[in-house]
Amino acid sequence: MSVSPEAHLSAITETVEARSYNEPEFLQAVHEVLETLTPVLSEHPEFVEANVLERLVEPERQIIFRVPWLDDQNHVRVNRGFRVQFNSALGPYKGGLRFHPSVNLSVIKFLGFEQIFKNALTRQRIGGGKGGSDFDPRGKSDAEVMRFCQSFMSELFRHIDEHTDVPAGDIGVGGREIGFLFGQYRRLTGRHESGVLTGKGKGWGGAEVRTEATGYGAVFFAQEMLARTGEGIEGREAIVSGSGNVAIYAIEKVEQLGGKAITASDSSGYVVDEQGIDVELLKQIKEVERGRISEYADRRPSARFVSGGSVWDVPGELAFPCATQNELDEAGARALLGGGVRAVAEGANMPTTPEAVALLQQAGVLFGPGKAANAGGVATSALEMTQNAARDRWDFDQSELRLHRIMRDVHDATYAASERYGRPGDYVLGANSAGFVTVAQAMIDQGVV
Ligand code: NDP
């Protein structure tokens, strides 16, 4: 019995809504993908026949665990840890760990679901997964962060290894946390298994350009979108949100390509610097001192700090949301349009709400969704795995060249899929459909597992 793509998609939507009714972020991510897949299913009735989608929306495995640790006053604290191993049809589960108080199963599932398609787009043979904890590293001492990471890994180590699941960083998990996690893994297993985590220190298996990769990659993606229409980054002002790993290196690359990034933000507010953000000062405050964004304005005469408010109120032709999910809503999109925005590339995961995406696309703004635009981070993680497996080490230039090529390929594959499925330049449709076809084909080849 053949079922129409529309009927199949609405049946899957009903199933996932019933099963995950209390997971709003996950449902948002699933809706966003399913809404674009009708033309793909029309072209590939075998995907409907094999019920690929119902399998795809259900994680292969979800692990939830207690993380007890001692704070500096010797009080016992308890957090919740997660690892969602979503889909391994293309390779070992791959995706970051997020430590932030907002983390819950819905957030981890949305991130893991998006990761499947993103990883497929990189063509690096990696499956999709994500993990983390509701632990907040802000305001904790290094010793507290270390004890937390050790306790977290004391459970996680049972479920990961270089062939099974390879976590990396995300919000709240940078080089310091990866170091503590790796140390505990090594101690528990008695093995120096470089390939089990990515984002490692460069002296012990970390890849060049991994730190820069997500931010640089998002700017490369914007550059490719603009190049298609004969435009560029040079001479244009960029509005960047966030001031963490992704934001810092997006700002750096915009400046290297002759643009001017004039904002950065954190959860307390944003700074505007008409001279262009001084990226070395930003790194000092955020990466070294772990300070707040307001301190940037305290130390830079050309900058002002705006407490609260919306960074999208600042006019600029390029926008890079690089903080967190749903940070760019309808009001933000209207403000950006009022400020003359030409291109938006998502450095963060799902930072733009569906209503805001629709507004931007209807206005003809080039819009690069995170699945494609921020794929440079995970792609470079896969390159780190390659180097670890070969006991090799590439230099910075070679690594950046590979990243640049991968982002060009991700752009081209995404654009080609948008053309194939009838809406040239709709990169949301393109990223979802190109990623989905790759994974669905692998799932069919591998049978009902
Ligand atoms: P970081 O922890 O390094 O930085 C996060 C930044 O976003 C901080 O400046 C933080 O400010 C800010 N932020 C977080 N929540 C909010 C909020 N509710 N409102 C305003 N600002 C907020 O994380 P990353 O830079 O690594 O990650 C940023 C985004 O990029 C995430 O969506 C992540 O999933 C995505 N991403 C990251 C990759 C990577 O390689 N790191 C790869 C692909 C995607 P504050 O300090 O005040 O919390």
Side-chain angles (χ1 to χ4, degrees), residues 14-54:
E14 271 176 37
T15 305
V16 76
E17 280 175 353
R19 281 196 182 130
S20 306
Y21 61 91
N22 56 351
E23 295 171 357
E25 293 85 0
F26 175 55
L27 288 178
Q28 183 183 338
V30 171
H31 281 144
E32 193 261 340
V33 171
L34 295 189
E35 275 162 13
T36 59
L37 292 184
T38 306
V40 182
L41 297 184
S42 302
E43 189 187 48
H44 292 280
E46 70 277 17
F47 295 166
V48 178
E49 197 67 34
N51 205 3
V52 167
L53 268 172
E54 192 174 346

mmCIF file of all heavy atoms in Angstrom, residues 14-54:
data_model
loop_
_atom_site.group_PDB
_atom_site.id
_atom_site.type_symbol
_atom_site.label_atom_id
_atom_site.label_comp_id
_atom_site.label_asym_id
_atom_site.label_seq_id
_atom_site.Cartn_x
_atom_site.Cartn_y
_atom_site.Cartn_z
ATOM 1 N N GLU A 14 2.693 13.170 14.163
ATOM 2 C CA GLU A 14 1.798 12.797 15.278
ATOM 3 C C GLU A 14 2.492 11.861 16.253
ATOM 4 O O GLU A 14 2.385 12.011 17.469
ATOM 5 C CB GLU A 14 0.550 12.090 14.733
ATOM 6 C CG GLU A 14 -0.566 13.042 14.402
ATOM 7 C CD GLU A 14 -1.757 12.325 13.775
ATOM 8 O OE1 GLU A 14 -2.062 11.184 14.186
ATOM 9 O OE2 GLU A 14 -2.346 12.913 12.868
ATOM 10 N N THR A 15 3.221 10.895 15.718
ATOM 11 C CA THR A 15 3.904 9.925 16.586
ATOM 12 C C THR A 15 4.928 10.631 17.477
ATOM 13 O O THR A 15 4.973 10.414 18.687
ATOM 14 C CB THR A 15 4.636 8.864 15.730
ATOM 15 O OG1 THR A 15 3.702 8.294 14.860
ATOM 16 C CG2 THR A 15 5.289 7.805 16.586
ATOM 17 N N VAL A 16 5.726 11.482 16.867
ATOM 18 C CA VAL A 16 6.802 12.115 17.647
ATOM 19 C C VAL A 16 6.205 13.116 18.648
ATOM 20 O O VAL A 16 6.691 13.246 19.785
ATOM 21 C CB VAL A 16 7.886 12.709 16.719
ATOM 22 C CG1 VAL A 16 7.454 13.978 16.077
ATOM 23 C CG2 VAL A 16 9.181 12.897 17.435
ATOM 24 N N GLU A 17 5.121 13.762 18.260
ATOM 25 C CA GLU A 17 4.472 14.696 19.213
ATOM 26 C C GLU A 17 3.901 13.940 20.406
ATOM 27 O O GLU A 17 3.960 14.401 21.539
ATOM 28 C CB GLU A 17 3.364 15.491 18.513
ATOM 29 C CG GLU A 17 3.925 16.648 17.694
ATOM 30 C CD GLU A 17 2.867 17.387 16.894
ATOM 31 O OE1 GLU A 17 1.707 16.931 16.863
ATOM 32 O OE2 GLU A 17 3.225 18.415 16.286
ATOM 33 N N ALA A 18 3.336 12.755 20.142
ATOM 34 C CA ALA A 18 2.759 11.965 21.247
ATOM 35 C C ALA A 18 3.862 11.438 22.162
ATOM 36 O O ALA A 18 3.749 11.477 23.387
ATOM 37 C CB ALA A 18 1.941 10.813 20.685
ATOM 38 N N ARG A 19 4.957 10.989 21.549
ATOM 39 C CA ARG A 19 6.029 10.399 22.364
ATOM 40 C C ARG A 19 6.834 11.451 23.115
ATOM 41 O O ARG A 19 7.381 11.181 24.175
ATOM 42 C CB ARG A 19 7.012 9.636 21.465
ATOM 43 C CG ARG A 19 6.523 8.281 21.061
ATOM 44 C CD ARG A 19 7.700 7.456 20.529
ATOM 45 N NE ARG A 19 7.244 6.152 20.095
ATOM 46 C CZ ARG A 19 7.525 5.605 18.908
ATOM 47 N NH1 ARG A 19 8.279 6.248 18.060
ATOM 48 N NH2 ARG A 19 7.083 4.424 18.604
ATOM 49 N N SER A 20 6.956 12.638 22.546
ATOM 50 C CA SER A 20 7.882 13.644 23.100
ATOM 51 C C SER A 20 7.155 14.949 23.403
ATOM 52 O O SER A 20 7.723 16.029 23.245
ATOM 53 C CB SER A 20 9.011 13.909 22.093
ATOM 54 O OG SER A 20 9.630 12.707 21.730
ATOM 55 N N TYR A 21 5.898 14.839 23.852
ATOM 56 C CA TYR A 21 5.061 16.030 24.040
ATOM 57 C C TYR A 21 5.682 17.049 24.995
ATOM 58 O O TYR A 21 5.386 18.228 24.925
ATOM 59 C CB TYR A 21 3.656 15.629 24.533
ATOM 60 C CG TYR A 21 3.678 14.905 25.859
ATOM 61 C CD1 TYR A 21 3.574 15.596 27.057
ATOM 62 C CD2 TYR A 21 3.842 13.526 25.898
ATOM 63 C CE1 TYR A 21 3.636 14.929 28.266
ATOM 64 C CE2 TYR A 21 3.904 12.857 27.103
ATOM 65 C CZ TYR A 21 3.807 13.560 28.293
ATOM 66 O OH TYR A 21 3.889 12.904 29.484
ATOM 67 N N ASN A 22 6.534 16.586 25.893
ATOM 68 C CA ASN A 22 7.132 17.500 26.874
ATOM 69 C C ASN A 22 8.560 17.913 26.494
ATOM 70 O O ASN A 22 9.352 18.268 27.354
ATOM 71 C CB ASN A 22 7.114 16.867 28.270
ATOM 72 C CG ASN A 22 7.809 15.514 28.262
ATOM 73 O OD1 ASN A 22 8.131 15.002 27.190
ATOM 74 N ND2 ASN A 22 8.057 14.957 29.433
ATOM 75 N N GLU A 23 8.871 17.848 25.201
ATOM 76 C CA GLU A 23 10.233 18.194 24.752
ATOM 77 C C GLU A 23 10.154 19.258 23.654
ATOM 78 O O GLU A 23 10.313 18.964 22.460
ATOM 79 C CB GLU A 23 10.946 16.919 24.252
ATOM 80 C CG GLU A 23 11.155 15.908 25.376
ATOM 81 C CD GLU A 23 11.652 14.541 24.887
ATOM 82 O OE1 GLU A 23 11.795 14.337 23.669
ATOM 83 O OE2 GLU A 23 11.889 13.692 25.754
ATOM 84 N N PRO A 24 9.901 20.522 24.021
ATOM 85 C CA PRO A 24 9.619 21.547 23.010
ATOM 86 C C PRO A 24 10.765 21.811 22.039
ATOM 87 O O PRO A 24 10.527 21.994 20.835
ATOM 88 C CB PRO A 24 9.294 22.806 23.834
ATOM 89 C CG PRO A 24 9.810 22.532 25.215
ATOM 90 C CD PRO A 24 9.784 21.041 25.394
ATOM 91 N N GLU A 25 11.991 21.827 22.544
ATOM 92 C CA GLU A 25 13.115 22.133 21.633
ATOM 93 C C GLU A 25 13.293 21.000 20.631
ATOM 94 O O GLU A 25 13.545 21.230 19.444
ATOM 95 C CB GLU A 25 14.423 22.351 22.407
ATOM 96 C CG GLU A 25 14.454 23.590 23.289
ATOM 97 C CD GLU A 25 13.838 23.372 24.671
ATOM 98 O OE1 GLU A 25 13.380 22.242 24.963
ATOM 99 O OE2 GLU A 25 13.804 24.351 25.461
ATOM 100 N N PHE A 26 13.143 19.764 21.121
ATOM 101 C CA PHE A 26 13.271 18.618 20.216
ATOM 102 C C PHE A 26 12.169 18.659 19.161
ATOM 103 O O PHE A 26 12.434 18.482 17.961
ATOM 104 C CB PHE A 26 13.220 17.313 21.026
ATOM 105 C CG PHE A 26 13.234 16.079 20.172
ATOM 106 C CD1 PHE A 26 14.246 15.856 19.244
ATOM 107 C CD2 PHE A 26 12.221 15.125 20.281
ATOM 108 C CE1 PHE A 26 14.244 14.713 18.439
ATOM 109 C CE2 PHE A 26 12.224 13.992 19.486
ATOM 110 C CZ PHE A 26 13.227 13.782 18.558
ATOM 111 N N LEU A 27 10.936 18.924 19.583
ATOM 112 C CA LEU A 27 9.833 18.984 18.611
ATOM 113 C C LEU A 27 10.067 20.094 17.587
ATOM 114 O O LEU A 27 9.792 19.920 16.399
ATOM 115 C CB LEU A 27 8.501 19.198 19.332
ATOM 116 C CG LEU A 27 7.984 17.981 20.120
ATOM 117 C CD1 LEU A 27 6.684 18.322 20.844
ATOM 118 C CD2 LEU A 27 7.770 16.775 19.208
ATOM 119 N N GLN A 28 10.586 21.222 18.044
ATOM 120 C CA GLN A 28 10.879 22.327 17.121
ATOM 121 C C GLN A 28 11.876 21.886 16.048
ATOM 122 O O GLN A 28 11.696 22.155 14.854
ATOM 123 C CB GLN A 28 11.437 23.521 17.924
ATOM 124 C CG GLN A 28 11.720 24.756 17.086
ATOM 125 C CD GLN A 28 12.352 25.898 17.926
ATOM 126 O OE1 GLN A 28 12.211 25.934 19.157
ATOM 127 N NE2 GLN A 28 13.034 26.807 17.268
ATOM 128 N N ALA A 29 12.924 21.185 16.494
ATOM 129 C CA ALA A 29 13.953 20.744 15.539
ATOM 130 C C ALA A 29 13.388 19.707 14.571
ATOM 131 O O ALA A 29 13.696 19.727 13.370
ATOM 132 C CB ALA A 29 15.148 20.161 16.295
ATOM 133 N N VAL A 30 12.534 18.814 15.069
ATOM 134 C CA VAL A 30 11.952 17.791 14.198
ATOM 135 C C VAL A 30 10.997 18.435 13.184
ATOM 136 O O VAL A 30 11.068 18.150 11.987
ATOM 137 C CB VAL A 30 11.215 16.715 15.042
ATOM 138 C CG1 VAL A 30 10.419 15.769 14.142
ATOM 139 C CG2 VAL A 30 12.213 15.922 15.874
ATOM 140 N N HIS A 31 10.130 19.322 13.662
ATOM 141 C CA HIS A 31 9.201 20.003 12.746
ATOM 142 C C HIS A 31 9.968 20.701 11.638
ATOM 143 O O HIS A 31 9.591 20.636 10.471
ATOM 144 C CB HIS A 31 8.373 21.055 13.494
ATOM 145 C CG HIS A 31 7.231 20.447 14.264
ATOM 146 N ND1 HIS A 31 6.815 20.919 15.476
ATOM 147 C CD2 HIS A 31 6.432 19.398 14.003
ATOM 148 C CE1 HIS A 31 5.811 20.182 15.923
ATOM 149 N NE2 HIS A 31 5.559 19.252 15.041
ATOM 150 N N GLU A 32 11.020 21.385 12.038
ATOM 151 C CA GLU A 32 11.780 22.187 11.077
ATOM 152 C C GLU A 32 12.333 21.303 9.950
ATOM 153 O O GLU A 32 12.387 21.723 8.796
ATOM 154 C CB GLU A 32 12.902 22.926 11.827
ATOM 155 C CG GLU A 32 13.580 24.022 11.043
ATOM 156 C CD GLU A 32 14.889 23.569 10.447
ATOM 157 O OE1 GLU A 32 15.461 22.552 10.932
ATOM 158 O OE2 GLU A 32 15.326 24.199 9.480
ATOM 159 N N VAL A 33 12.714 20.077 10.284
ATOM 160 C CA VAL A 33 13.217 19.169 9.241
ATOM 161 C C VAL A 33 12.057 18.572 8.446
ATOM 162 O O VAL A 33 12.041 18.616 7.211
ATOM 163 C CB VAL A 33 14.082 18.047 9.869
ATOM 164 C CG1 VAL A 33 14.420 16.990 8.821
ATOM 165 C CG2 VAL A 33 15.366 18.633 10.452
ATOM 166 N N LEU A 34 11.057 18.025 9.153
ATOM 167 C CA LEU A 34 9.975 17.322 8.454
ATOM 168 C C LEU A 34 9.258 18.238 7.459
ATOM 169 O O LEU A 34 8.878 17.807 6.369
ATOM 170 C CB LEU A 34 8.971 16.737 9.451
ATOM 171 C CG LEU A 34 9.484 15.640 10.393
ATOM 172 C CD1 LEU A 34 8.323 15.001 11.158
ATOM 173 C CD2 LEU A 34 10.264 14.564 9.665
ATOM 174 N N GLU A 35 9.104 19.513 7.850
ATOM 175 C CA GLU A 35 8.385 20.447 6.979
ATOM 176 C C GLU A 35 9.018 20.605 5.602
ATOM 177 O O GLU A 35 8.369 21.053 4.663
ATOM 178 C CB GLU A 35 8.329 21.835 7.647
ATOM 179 C CG GLU A 35 7.173 21.951 8.617
ATOM 180 C CD GLU A 35 7.350 23.113 9.587
ATOM 181 O OE1 GLU A 35 8.227 23.972 9.358
ATOM 182 O OE2 GLU A 35 6.598 23.134 10.584
ATOM 183 N N THR A 36 10.298 20.260 5.496
ATOM 184 C CA THR A 36 10.990 20.491 4.222
ATOM 185 C C THR A 36 11.120 19.216 3.376
ATOM 186 O O THR A 36 11.659 19.280 2.277
ATOM 187 C CB THR A 36 12.417 21.035 4.471
ATOM 188 O OG1 THR A 36 13.131 20.082 5.263
ATOM 189 C CG2 THR A 36 12.390 22.377 5.171
ATOM 190 N N LEU A 37 10.661 18.068 3.884
ATOM 191 C CA LEU A 37 11.038 16.816 3.225
ATOM 192 C C LEU A 37 10.061 16.277 2.185
ATOM 193 O O LEU A 37 10.348 15.258 1.548
ATOM 194 C CB LEU A 37 11.319 15.728 4.284
ATOM 195 C CG LEU A 37 12.570 15.956 5.153
ATOM 196 C CD1 LEU A 37 12.790 14.776 6.085
ATOM 197 C CD2 LEU A 37 13.826 16.188 4.306
ATOM 198 N N THR A 38 8.917 16.945 1.976
ATOM 199 C CA THR A 38 7.937 16.412 1.016
ATOM 200 C C THR A 38 8.560 16.125 -0.358
ATOM 201 O O THR A 38 8.401 15.018 -0.885
ATOM 202 C CB THR A 38 6.742 17.378 0.887
ATOM 203 O OG1 THR A 38 6.240 17.604 2.193
ATOM 204 C CG2 THR A 38 5.638 16.791 0.013
ATOM 205 N N PRO A 39 9.303 17.081 -0.949
ATOM 206 C CA PRO A 39 9.851 16.777 -2.283
ATOM 207 C C PRO A 39 10.853 15.623 -2.272
ATOM 208 O O PRO A 39 10.957 14.880 -3.254
ATOM 209 C CB PRO A 39 10.528 18.083 -2.719
ATOM 210 C CG PRO A 39 10.605 18.952 -1.523
ATOM 211 C CD PRO A 39 9.594 18.480 -0.537
ATOM 212 N N VAL A 40 11.578 15.454 -1.182
ATOM 213 C CA VAL A 40 12.553 14.352 -1.114
ATOM 214 C C VAL A 40 11.809 13.016 -1.101
ATOM 215 O O VAL A 40 12.184 12.061 -1.792
ATOM 216 C CB VAL A 40 13.432 14.460 0.155
ATOM 217 C CG1 VAL A 40 14.462 13.342 0.199
ATOM 218 C CG2 VAL A 40 14.115 15.812 0.227
ATOM 219 N N LEU A 41 10.742 12.948 -0.296
ATOM 220 C CA LEU A 41 9.994 11.694 -0.207
ATOM 221 C C LEU A 41 9.262 11.396 -1.520
ATOM 222 O O LEU A 41 9.071 10.237 -1.876
ATOM 223 C CB LEU A 41 9.020 11.738 0.966
ATOM 224 C CG LEU A 41 9.664 11.867 2.356
ATOM 225 C CD1 LEU A 41 8.603 11.810 3.446
ATOM 226 C CD2 LEU A 41 10.719 10.783 2.603
ATOM 227 N N SER A 42 8.885 12.445 -2.248
ATOM 228 C CA SER A 42 8.256 12.217 -3.553
ATOM 229 C C SER A 42 9.261 11.582 -4.497
ATOM 230 O O SER A 42 8.926 10.707 -5.296
ATOM 231 C CB SER A 42 7.764 13.532 -4.165
ATOM 232 O OG SER A 42 6.860 14.142 -3.299
ATOM 233 N N GLU A 43 10.492 12.018 -4.404
ATOM 234 C CA GLU A 43 11.524 11.467 -5.288
ATOM 235 C C GLU A 43 11.969 10.068 -4.844
ATOM 236 O O GLU A 43 12.432 9.268 -5.655
ATOM 237 C CB GLU A 43 12.750 12.409 -5.306
ATOM 238 C CG GLU A 43 13.766 12.013 -6.354
ATOM 239 C CD GLU A 43 15.055 12.831 -6.280
ATOM 240 O OE1 GLU A 43 15.611 12.987 -5.178
ATOM 241 O OE2 GLU A 43 15.493 13.324 -7.322
ATOM 242 N N HIS A 44 11.878 9.818 -3.543
ATOM 243 C CA HIS A 44 12.374 8.546 -2.984
ATOM 244 C C HIS A 44 11.263 7.812 -2.229
ATOM 245 O O HIS A 44 11.300 7.752 -0.981
ATOM 246 C CB HIS A 44 13.527 8.808 -2.006
ATOM 247 C CG HIS A 44 14.774 9.322 -2.633
ATOM 248 N ND1 HIS A 44 15.686 8.515 -3.274
ATOM 249 C CD2 HIS A 44 15.274 10.581 -2.714
ATOM 250 C CE1 HIS A 44 16.692 9.246 -3.726
ATOM 251 N NE2 HIS A 44 16.472 10.513 -3.396
ATOM 252 N N PRO A 45 10.326 7.199 -2.933
ATOM 253 C CA PRO A 45 9.266 6.470 -2.217
ATOM 254 C C PRO A 45 9.827 5.343 -1.348
ATOM 255 O O PRO A 45 9.193 4.943 -0.365
ATOM 256 C CB PRO A 45 8.382 5.920 -3.346
ATOM 257 C CG PRO A 45 9.139 6.107 -4.604
ATOM 258 C CD PRO A 45 10.149 7.171 -4.394
ATOM 259 N N GLU A 46 11.034 4.875 -1.659
ATOM 260 C CA GLU A 46 11.617 3.783 -0.857
ATOM 261 C C GLU A 46 11.883 4.231 0.590
ATOM 262 O O GLU A 46 11.907 3.412 1.500
ATOM 263 C CB GLU A 46 12.890 3.226 -1.520
ATOM 264 C CG GLU A 46 14.129 4.127 -1.519
ATOM 265 C CD GLU A 46 14.164 5.170 -2.649
ATOM 266 O OE1 GLU A 46 13.108 5.440 -3.268
ATOM 267 O OE2 GLU A 46 15.251 5.740 -2.885
ATOM 268 N N PHE A 47 12.085 5.552 0.789
ATOM 269 C CA PHE A 47 12.295 6.027 2.167
ATOM 270 C C PHE A 47 11.008 5.902 2.969
ATOM 271 O O PHE A 47 11.030 5.636 4.166
ATOM 272 C CB PHE A 47 12.765 7.491 2.186
ATOM 273 C CG PHE A 47 14.129 7.733 1.569
ATOM 274 C CD1 PHE A 47 14.543 9.026 1.259
ATOM 275 C CD2 PHE A 47 15.005 6.685 1.318
ATOM 276 C CE1 PHE A 47 15.798 9.269 0.702
ATOM 277 C CE2 PHE A 47 16.255 6.904 0.756
ATOM 278 C CZ PHE A 47 16.649 8.209 0.446
ATOM 279 N N VAL A 48 9.879 6.118 2.300
ATOM 280 C CA VAL A 48 8.581 5.967 2.970
ATOM 281 C C VAL A 48 8.333 4.488 3.239
ATOM 282 O O VAL A 48 7.981 4.080 4.353
ATOM 283 C CB VAL A 48 7.445 6.552 2.099
ATOM 284 C CG1 VAL A 48 6.099 6.353 2.778
ATOM 285 C CG2 VAL A 48 7.704 8.026 1.816
ATOM 286 N N GLU A 49 8.570 3.695 2.209
ATOM 287 C CA GLU A 49 8.383 2.237 2.299
ATOM 288 C C GLU A 49 9.146 1.645 3.480
ATOM 289 O O GLU A 49 8.624 0.815 4.230
ATOM 290 C CB GLU A 49 8.903 1.635 0.974
ATOM 291 C CG GLU A 49 8.457 0.229 0.670
ATOM 292 C CD GLU A 49 6.955 0.178 0.409
ATOM 293 O OE1 GLU A 49 6.382 1.132 -0.154
ATOM 294 O OE2 GLU A 49 6.378 -0.828 0.810
ATOM 295 N N ALA A 50 10.385 2.091 3.666
ATOM 296 C CA ALA A 50 11.237 1.532 4.734
ATOM 297 C C ALA A 50 11.039 2.256 6.066
ATOM 298 O O ALA A 50 11.724 1.966 7.036
ATOM 299 C CB ALA A 50 12.703 1.619 4.314
ATOM 300 N N ASN A 51 10.105 3.192 6.092
ATOM 301 C CA ASN A 51 9.803 3.934 7.319
ATOM 302 C C ASN A 51 11.068 4.497 7.982
ATOM 303 O O ASN A 51 11.246 4.418 9.204
ATOM 304 C CB ASN A 51 9.039 3.044 8.309
ATOM 305 C CG ASN A 51 8.195 3.884 9.258
ATOM 306 O OD1 ASN A 51 8.149 5.113 9.134
ATOM 307 N ND2 ASN A 51 7.545 3.244 10.219
ATOM 308 N N VAL A 52 11.927 5.050 7.149
ATOM 309 C CA VAL A 52 13.202 5.579 7.642
ATOM 310 C C VAL A 52 12.977 6.682 8.681
ATOM 311 O O VAL A 52 13.653 6.739 9.708
ATOM 312 C CB VAL A 52 14.035 6.140 6.461
ATOM 313 C CG1 VAL A 52 15.189 6.960 6.960
ATOM 314 C CG2 VAL A 52 14.535 5.011 5.593
ATOM 315 N N LEU A 53 11.987 7.532 8.410
ATOM 316 C CA LEU A 53 11.833 8.703 9.280
ATOM 317 C C LEU A 53 11.426 8.341 10.701
ATOM 318 O O LEU A 53 11.906 8.944 11.658
ATOM 319 C CB LEU A 53 10.807 9.665 8.678
ATOM 320 C CG LEU A 53 11.405 10.738 7.786
ATOM 321 C CD1 LEU A 53 10.298 11.509 7.090
ATOM 322 C CD2 LEU A 53 12.281 11.702 8.596
ATOM 323 N N GLU A 54 10.544 7.354 10.831
ATOM 324 C CA GLU A 54 10.132 7.009 12.197
ATOM 325 C C GLU A 54 11.316 6.464 12.985
ATOM 326 O O GLU A 54 11.425 6.659 14.192
ATOM 327 C CB GLU A 54 8.973 6.006 12.195
ATOM 328 C CG GLU A 54 8.373 5.882 13.598
ATOM 329 C CD GLU A 54 7.123 5.027 13.668
ATOM 330 O OE1 GLU A 54 6.533 4.724 12.613
ATOM 331 O OE2 GLU A 54 6.753 4.667 14.795
#
